[in-house]
Amino acid sequence: MWMLITRRILAAILTISFLSLFVFSFLYLVPGDPAERILQARMNGELPSSRETVGVLKHDMGLDVPSYVLYLKWTEGVLHGDLGYSYITRRPAATILYESLQATAELVFVSISIVVIFGLSLGMLAAWKEDSRIDNLLSYLAILGVSIPSYVIAFVSILVFAVGLHILPVAGRSGMQSMLMPAVSLSIGGLAMLMRMTRYDMLAEMRQDYVLAAKAKGLSEARIFIKHIFRNSLPPLITYIGLELGGLFSGAVIIENVFAWPGIGRLLVDSVQSGDVPMVQACVLLIGVIFICINIIVDILYTYIDPRIKPEGIL
Amino acid sequence: MRSRIFKVLKEKAHDNKKIIMGFTIIAIMVFIALFAPLIAPHNPESIDLTNRVAAPTQEYPLGTDHLGRCQMSMLVFGLRISLVIAATILFVRVILGATLGLIAGYFGGSLDQLISRIIDFELVFPDMVLALVLVGTLGPGLPNLMLALSIVGWSKYARIIRSTVISVKEKGFIESARALGVSETYIMQRHILPNSITPLIPVMTLGLGGLLLSVSGLSFIGLGVEPGTPELGMMIKSGFEVFPSHPQLVLVPSLMIIACVTGFTLLGDGLSDLFDPRKSSSFIASCL
């Protein structure tokens, strides 16, 4: 177990270094001198007007060096929590990121709870009542749920609950009420997918021999269903829930823009649109690290639930 | 190979409701897209500020938007453009994924190790975030959008091809071909590739639906096609400016997207049941 965890963490460090290289290369993808961009970020977004001053400053700060040295310096800064300064607001990127992360984390937490609670229970219901009317209805609803863009659910719910019935606020972040529509719109797709998967996996598990053996032993249907079938179909579902947690972060990019939710997704789009490179780098780095952490946790949980599995891979 | 696929389809498709429904929806959509210039009553880009957000009339079957453009024509051309964009990106992804998967699976060894690591790295990141960042760095606009979405999202195709290639290359007929002195490239082109394509078909169908969602989503947040282009996501975005006073401008293009994606999901779902009914659910989940 500890072997596995150590290996996972080492692998994650490797992936994070990959990621940091990728993020650092953004500086080279946008027009202009990368060293000047770093300088600009350190100088609160403004470069001195004279070329000589820029040159002297670059030399003083040790920025007139080859790109790999620049990368190492940048990494050192990141490790000390220095993500540079936003070009637009001129505040430290780390601070802005922290504020946005709170808003997104709230939204994602509520959404993943909706996904897990309803996805698993509806999936179990469909598997329990296989080929009944309710199973058929749920399976078509699931296909629809996967195919509806989250923002369409958002529009319809705004029309009904905010404009029509006046019971929920149209947008913004002010308490639980404002959370309801964004969280539901964000979770429908994942919910539908998890429901389908739960049904599939449980049906596959029901056809196993041990189920027959358990029945022959005289265990009750419900007990077999929950204690054996459900438990054994959990590992792939947990992997999916982990992936979906990541998916919610990217789904939040769109939903946060519809509801003016002040989270990372909105920050990322705004920064991308205004060419605020340090902010974009900070957002991508953070989202990447979150993803990698989720992956490690999922893998460890996976072996915990099903000790037969020895996962291989680097992430 | 192709004849075998069609034979299976003919035998089994008629009692698979999902395939029939999905196929019908897609056939209608493709028909509309192909004959868009004949179906659309007006030029989708002609602006008439004297006739803004008009109710449906005989001349404008779905009314007009906030710039007086014919909603019906925009919808028809929008469908065409969205489908073309999604199909092109899918094509590039499949080519990229299949090539890398083929190389990794066929040659194995350290080349396989390297490619598999890249696949793992790509799989961890959601396509949407990567694409968003690439579009952000390269700048908004259709070419950059297509480029960004093409270089992400290929890893699932690579992974499928890689695993099928590994199982196919151990088959007897490959051994025989090699014994006959056939060149490696010829074996790959002629024997391995055709035998590895089948499992891709349902994934591609589901992937096309997913791409329609990504393209329209990116356009909707302003990082896709240029404003004014009749593309479904862009129509929703411009409708959003007069939302919620004129909800039809947002809801009609949304319904079009939902119909299309539902069609592809139904078809893809049905096809994957058909090709391999015992397929694990996580496989299907990774497709969208």
Side-chain angles (χ1 to χ4, degrees):
Chain A
M1 191 71 182
W2 286 108
M3 260 287 283
L4 173 85
I5 295 174
T6 340
R7 224 177 60 203
R8 275 322 203 208
I9 290 173
L10 285 178
I13 292 171
L14 187 75
T15 317
I16 291 175
S17 353
F18 250 144
L19 177 72
S20 68
L21 258 177
F22 176 68
V23 168
F24 180 73
S25 68
F26 291 170
L27 285 173
Y28 290 85
L29 287 171
V30 287
D33 177 20
E36 272 175 30
R37 291 219 160 243
I38 297 177
L39 185 65
Q40 196 181 350
R42 296 251 177 94
M43 308 269 303
N44 271 359
E46 255 182 62
L47 276 177
S49 46
S50 99
R51 299 300 311 166
E52 280 116 58
T53 328
V54 172
V56 170
L57 277 172
K58 256 163 76 175
H59 184 76
D60 283 353
M61 292 190 170
L63 294 174
D64 50 352
V65 286
S67 48
Y68 65 92
V69 182
L70 215 53
Y71 167 68
L72 291 178
K73 278 180 182 287
W74 177 78
T75 317
E76 199 191 332
V78 171
L79 289 176
H80 288 102
D82 172 19
L83 291 163
Y85 286 82
S86 158
Y87 292 168
I88 308 294
T89 58
R90 300 184 180 182
R91 294 170 55 214
T95 317
I96 305 178
L97 204 59
Y98 179 68
E99 292 163 4
S100 308
L101 181 63
Q102 281 182 316
T104 301
E106 257 173 40
L107 186 61
V108 168
F109 177 74
V110 176
S111 302
I112 197 78
S113 312
I114 299 176
V115 169
V116 171
I117 295 169
F118 288 95
L120 286 180
S121 50
L122 288 175
M124 282 168 83
L125 177 69
W128 179 254
K129 302 253 179 208
E130 191 193 352
D131 284 332
S132 67
R133 201 172 289 167
I134 186 136
D135 180 26
N136 275 324
L137 178 72
L138 282 175
S139 97
Y140 280 103
L141 280 181
I143 289 182
L144 199 63
V146 172
S147 311
I148 296 185
S150 58
Y151 50 87
V152 174
I153 301 168
F155 295 141
V156 175
S157 56
I158 291 177
L159 274 184
V160 175
F161 298 106
V163 181
L165 300 171
H166 293 289
I167 48 174
L168 292 172
V170 177
R173 178 179 177 228
S174 49
M176 271 315 277
Q177 282 204 322
S178 62
M179 166 87 76
L180 209 56
M181 288 200 294
V184 171
S185 329
L186 189 56
S187 49
I188 295 290
L191 193 164
M193 196 53 112
L194 182 64
M195 180 177 111
R196 269 155 56 104
M197 292 188 53
T198 312
R199 180 180 173 277
Y200 267 114
D201 287 339
M202 291 191 76
L203 287 181
E205 207 59 42
M206 277 167 157
R207 316 234 184 297
Q208 301 275 335
D209 288 342
Y210 72 83
V211 176
L212 203 63
K215 271 186 192 153
K217 235 173 81 182
L219 293 181
S220 77
E221 292 263 341
R223 192 186 155 89
I224 299 173
F225 195 73
I226 305 283
K227 284 218 92 166
H228 297 276
I229 300 177
F230 181 64
R231 193 184 156 124
N232 281 326
S233 44
L234 263 183
L237 297 180
I238 288 196
T239 316
Y240 177 70
I241 292 170
L243 279 177
E244 180 55 28
L245 199 57
L248 287 178
F249 273 94
S250 66
V253 173
I254 289 179
I255 285 299
E256 287 179 356
N257 278 283
V258 175
F259 288 102
W261 190 266
I264 297 210
R266 193 146 167 257
L267 182 67
L268 180 59
V269 173
D270 285 350
S271 314
V272 158
Q273 273 167 344
S274 55
D276 194 347
V277 181
M279 268 337 294
V280 177
Q281 286 180 318
C283 289
V284 175
L285 208 55
L286 178 73
I287 295 177
V289 171
I290 292 176
F291 265 69
I292 292 162
C293 292
I294 293 174
N295 264 287
I296 297 179
I297 296 170
V298 166
D299 270 342
I300 294 170
L301 265 181
Y302 207 92
T303 31
Y304 183 73
I305 292 178
D306 191 345
R308 286 171 303 178
I309 298 162
K310 292 272 171 283
E312 283 286 328
I314 57 147
L315 293 168
Chain B
M1 195 61 213
R2 184 169 295 151
S3 65
R4 201 193 72 136
I5 297 172
F6 279 120
K7 218 174 108 199
V8 174
L9 277 183
K10 247 191 224 157
E11 275 168 13
K12 296 200 184 155
H14 67 268
D15 45 47
N16 189 324
K17 266 192 230 150
K18 283 185 197 162
I19 293 188
I20 297 173
M21 282 166 62
F23 186 78
T24 316
I25 296 174
I26 294 167
I28 296 171
M29 295 298 168
V30 171
F31 179 83
I32 296 176
L34 275 179
F35 297 100
L38 300 177
I39 298 168
H42 298 273
N43 177 351
E45 290 179 55
S46 76
I47 292 169
D48 177 8
L49 291 176
T50 58
N51 190 23
R52 287 189 290 181
V53 272
T57 56
Q58 204 138 43
E59 206 195 337
Y60 297 96
L62 289 173
T64 59
D65 73 352
H66 66 297
L67 293 175
R69 290 172 293 192
C70 170
Q71 192 70 0
M72 172 82 177
S73 314
M74 284 183 73
L75 198 64
V76 169
F77 274 95
L79 177 69
R80 180 180 167 123
I81 292 177
S82 297
L83 279 178
V84 169
I85 295 174
T88 316
I89 298 169
L90 181 79
F91 182 73
V92 181
R93 279 184 179 183
V94 172
I95 297 288
L96 200 65
T99 314
L100 285 171
L102 191 62
I103 294 173
Y106 190 71
F107 293 111
S110 51
L111 203 57
D112 180 25
Q113 285 285 321
L114 179 71
I115 294 176
S116 296
R117 293 293 154 270
I118 303 175
I119 292 176
D120 282 346
F121 183 70
E122 215 274 324
L123 274 177
V124 169
F125 261 92
D127 302 350
M128 197 60 182
V129 171
L130 268 187
L132 190 76
V133 167
L134 286 170
V135 172
T137 329
L138 303 167
L142 186 56
N144 288 344
L145 168 82
M146 290 177 71
L147 182 69
L149 281 175
S150 302
I151 54 181
V152 300
W154 49 266
S155 48
K156 49 183 173 266
Y157 303 107
R159 199 150 78 153
I160 297 166
I161 286 281
R162 178 181 166 274
S163 57
T164 32
V165 166
I166 287 174
S167 69
V168 168
K169 79 172 177 187
E170 302 302 329
K171 296 258 165 73
F173 66 93
I174 304 288
E175 202 74 20
S176 324
R178 202 168 290 144
L180 285 170
V182 180
S183 79
E184 299 281 311
T185 354
Y186 188 81
I187 294 180
M188 278 214 275
Q189 273 176 8
R190 201 59 210 200
H191 298 295
I192 306 247
L193 195 59
N195 280 298
S196 315
I197 291 285
T198 322
L200 277 192
I201 295 172
V203 191
M204 280 163 61
T205 317
L206 289 170
L208 203 51
L211 264 174
L212 276 172
L213 290 178
S214 318
V215 172
S216 59
L218 281 171
S219 292
F220 172 69
I221 52 177
L223 295 175
V225 299
E226 290 79 5
T229 317
E231 189 269 344
L232 294 175
M234 186 46 82
M235 284 178 75
I236 296 175
K237 180 184 160 65
S238 54
F240 192 51
E241 284 161 23
V242 287
F243 187 80
S245 54
H246 302 285
Q248 78 277 11
L249 294 181
V250 162
L251 297 182
V252 171
S254 301
L255 277 178
M256 198 63 154
I257 294 180
I258 296 175
C260 266
V261 181
T262 310
F264 285 116
T265 314
L266 281 167
L267 185 65
D269 228 31
L271 285 176
S272 61
D273 286 349
L274 204 68
F275 286 138
D276 186 0
R278 285 166 289 106
K279 179 142 16 248
S280 75
S281 57
S282 36
F283 169 79
I284 293 160
S286 68
C287 301
L288 261 174

